[in-house]
Amino acid sequence: MLTDLTIAQAAEGLRKKEFSAVELTKAHTDAIDALNGRVNAYITVTSDKALEAAKKADSTLAAGEAPALTGIPLGIKDLFCTNGVRTTAASKIIGNFVPPYESTVTAKLLENGAIFLGKTNLDEFAMGSGNLTSAFGGVENPWHRKDDASVLVPGGSSGGSAAAVAARMAMGATGTDTGGSIRQPAAYCGIVGLKPTYGRCSRWGTIAFASSLDQAGPMTRSVEDASIMLSAMAGADPKDSTCANVAVPDYRAACGRSLKGLRVGIPAEYRAPGMSEEILAVWQKGIDMLREAGCEIVDVSLPHTKYGLATYYIIAPAECSSNLARYDGVRFGERAEGATSLDDLYEKTRHNGFGEEVRRRILMGTYVLSAGYYDAYYLKAQKVRTLIQRDFTQAFQKVDVLLTPTAPTAAFARDEKPEDPVQMYLNDIFTVPASMAGQPAMSVPVELDDKGLPLGLQLIGKHFDEETIIAVGSALEKAAGFTALPDLRAGVSA
Ligand code: GLN
């Protein structure tokens, strides 16, 4: 089936005229028609636009010299502003906003020939780990436990993107990752998710959550596909001063590179107390695979790991409270009816427009930034962040890459959602430290647990060294030979 191809295979098939971009796109819009009612991976579907673009892609292909992603249908997380297509951040407060401009990352993908199928679902403003806070309803993970029909979460916040890619409703998708939102849903849905170095991809035109952490990246079904998408998405942007002016290598060339003599660090602190035997076993399996592939395995220590989550949940809400202050009903977003004063307008608009989790984060963030608490919480957290960064710098003097689990568990059921928000925050325990330090990191699916759910391992690299994580990721992928498929996908069932 066309929807089962990887991006690399489809690009080749298009060039060999085995099928057209219109056929490839139609296969995906059909899959969306069949599955989206259940999976809810897309908030907005743009099939007509996609098919129009596919016709153009076929002409470009016929003329030769087509860029790498010509005719490849992708899902776009609904946090990226897309010219003329509604962009919601899964929030009521900006529910009907149609941007008159294109984000830099999506503009680059379009220039590279990609076709957009629609906007994928997410946790509201990208805050969450289970796709449980979207104003447009939850996403169903296309995977289910053996002999158990419970609906599982796809992870978050880029859960719509992850589910769409896993269920064959897109060949690849964009995600954003502030504390794990590309990697954790990738692990839960059995796909590859790459968070590049902070500053590798422009943030311009992407709705902000926590500006010192937010980073866009690809979510795909193979490491090679991630490398193809990243080459198109990355690069300097005069419109984002934090986007680094560092040359973009040909990431695809790093796939399959020899790992002889490469040093892989295993951080002791990631053996969290109470960690499941299964996660420890898959981690050990990954270690053995990389040793077998020629790597030297080195024990390292990242002593401040234990402060990662606490620090993240001060800094991210602080930045979110400031970024989201603009949605006040005056200039941006929806406006509440019937306000009797300016304060009343702010209160009603923000109360009605934001969901519970977003309001919780705004409250926490405002608190830690307020006079009297700023030094005790925010400033202290920034200092600890520096120590976390230093841990990585020191570890990377000894090793080239780190290997850890991506998440402490496999996907959990929607009705097992913890009542305590702090329990939910624990999902990010392994992903947050790399975010705090701005390191590039990738999740690769490795095997199924005994309930039949995918488990992923995380590779963390040096700043701007996505190539090494791609090289190691492709070796891990090859050794793991992860070929299992979700039960809910195009061509199977709806
Ligand atoms: N789950 C984390 C949070 O809720 C990470 C979110 C993200 O990376 N966007 O903040």
Side-chain angles (χ1 to χ4, degrees):
M1 278 192 31
L2 291 181
T3 49
D4 277 325
L5 299 175
T6 62
I7 293 176
Q9 290 164 341
E12 202 184 317
L14 287 168
R15 280 162 186 75
K16 288 190 178 152
K17 310 227 174 332
E18 287 166 10
F19 45 84
S20 68
V22 169
E23 286 165 326
L24 185 65
T25 303
K26 184 78 173 55
H28 286 88
T29 57
D30 286 350
I32 296 172
D33 288 345
L35 294 169
N36 202 46
R38 175 158 169 195
V39 182
N40 201 24
Y42 287 87
I43 293 175
T44 304
V45 179
T46 54
S47 303
D48 293 346
K49 262 182 177 281
L51 289 164
E52 271 311 304
K55 281 188 205 151
K56 288 207 188 104
D58 279 327
S59 325
T60 313
L61 286 159
E65 295 289 307
L69 290 172
T70 305
I72 302 295
L74 302 177
I76 301 298
K77 185 177 185 178
D78 205 11
L79 203 62
F80 293 88
C81 288
T82 39
N83 195 355
V85 176
R86 179 173 76 146
T87 300
T88 69
S91 181
K92 276 207 308 208
I93 210 156
I94 37 180
N96 280 318
F97 171 54
V98 178
Y101 52 82
E102 191 72 39
S103 84
T104 297
V105 161
T106 48
K108 279 173 171 288
L109 288 169
L110 290 172
E111 266 163 43
N112 207 268
I115 289 173
F116 295 168
L117 295 161
K119 307 297 291 287
T120 57
N121 208 345
L122 64 152
D123 281 294
E124 185 178 4
F125 281 102
M127 298 171 198
S129 306
N131 242 268
L132 293 160
T133 70
S134 167
F136 297 85
V139 175
E140 176 168 346
N141 191 324
W143 294 82
H144 297 88
R145 293 178 186 136
K146 271 188 269 179
D147 311 319
D148 176 352
S150 310
V151 173
L152 306 180
V153 303
S157 65
S158 313
S161 291
V165 173
R168 275 63 182 160
M169 299 158 76
M171 306 205 82
T174 59
T176 63
D177 191 312
T178 303
S181 275
I182 287 178
R183 293 160 283 163
Q184 183 255 19
Y188 277 18
C189 290
I191 64 163
V192 173
L194 198 171
K195 179 199 92 76
T197 310
Y198 179 78
R200 182 76 277 192
C201 295
S202 169
R203 287 183 297 111
W204 193 83
T206 310
I207 294 171
F209 162 11
S211 306
S212 77
L213 295 155
D214 297 346
Q215 181 56 213
M219 304 178 76
T220 54
R221 291 196 295 264
S222 76
V223 174
E224 185 179 30
D225 285 1
S227 75
I228 297 171
M229 272 186 75
L230 182 61
S231 295
M233 294 164 70
D237 180 9
K239 290 190 276 204
D240 173 4
S241 61
T242 63
C243 184
N245 192 1
V246 178
V248 180
D250 174 10
Y251 289 117
R252 196 174 181 177
C255 295
R257 206 200 248 172
S258 158
L259 304 189
K260 276 263 156 324
L262 205 85
R263 293 156 308 167
V264 177
I266 308 300
E269 292 75 10
Y270 281 58
R271 275 177 213 284
M275 215 159 124
S276 86
E277 284 303 318
E278 263 184 324
I279 301 284
L280 286 170
V282 68
W283 191 11
Q284 187 56 48
K285 220 171 180 175
I287 295 172
D288 295 341
M289 287 173 190
L290 292 183
R291 189 183 286 118
E292 191 66 21
C295 298
E296 184 191 336
I297 306 296
V298 183
D299 287 328
V300 294
S301 171
L302 301 168
H304 297 91
T305 300
K306 59 176 177 290
Y307 303 117
L309 268 186
T311 326
Y312 171 83
Y313 278 98
I314 290 173
I315 291 175
E319 294 185 17
C320 121
S321 77
S322 137
N323 274 325
L324 271 54
R326 76 190 72 180
Y327 304 107
D328 58 3
V330 179
R331 286 193 59 195
F332 297 102
E334 298 287 303
R335 175 179 300 181
E337 300 289 326
T340 52
S341 65
L342 187 61
D343 280 353
D344 193 37
L345 173 74
Y346 291 158
E347 280 177 24
K348 286 208 170 85
T349 299
R350 290 167 69 79
H351 179 85
N352 297 343
F354 292 129
E356 193 184 42
E357 181 61 25
V358 173
R359 275 185 272 141
R360 178 182 295 120
R361 304 241 183 157
I362 293 174
L363 285 174
M364 281 197 296
T366 310
Y367 181 82
V368 299
L369 288 177
S370 58
Y373 295 106
Y374 180 92
D375 289 357
Y377 294 107
Y378 185 71
L379 202 63
K380 188 65 147 264
Q382 289 291 21
K383 289 180 182 163
V384 179
R385 182 176 188 176
T386 305
L387 296 175
I388 294 171
Q389 286 165 339
R390 195 180 300 160
D391 283 356
F392 280 102
T393 310
Q394 285 170 353
F396 283 124
Q397 283 165 1
K398 283 197 270 176
V399 296
D400 304 293
V401 69
L402 300 166
L403 179 75
T404 78
T406 306
T409 62
F412 54 91
R414 215 181 258 170
D415 55 17
E416 291 161 5
K417 167 192 156 201
E419 282 312 312
D420 176 2
V422 175
Q423 274 299 324
M424 193 69 159
Y425 298 165
L426 290 175
N427 264 292
D428 307 327
I429 190 159
F430 301 135
T431 49
V432 148
S435 301
M436 299 295 281
Q439 314 299 141
M442 174 163 66
S443 180
V444 180
V446 172
E447 66 175 7
L448 299 181
D449 69 5
D450 63 359
K451 297 193 186 75
L453 297 181
L455 297 175
L457 288 177
Q458 174 179 233
L459 293 160
I460 306 175
K462 296 178 184 170
H463 287 144
F464 296 101
D465 187 16
E466 286 80 6
E467 285 168 289
T468 299
I469 55 176
I470 288 169
V472 180
S474 70
L476 195 60
E477 177 181 57
K478 195 164 157 216
F482 183 88
T483 50
L485 294 168
D487 51 309
L488 187 59
R489 62 178 197 278
V492 175
S493 57

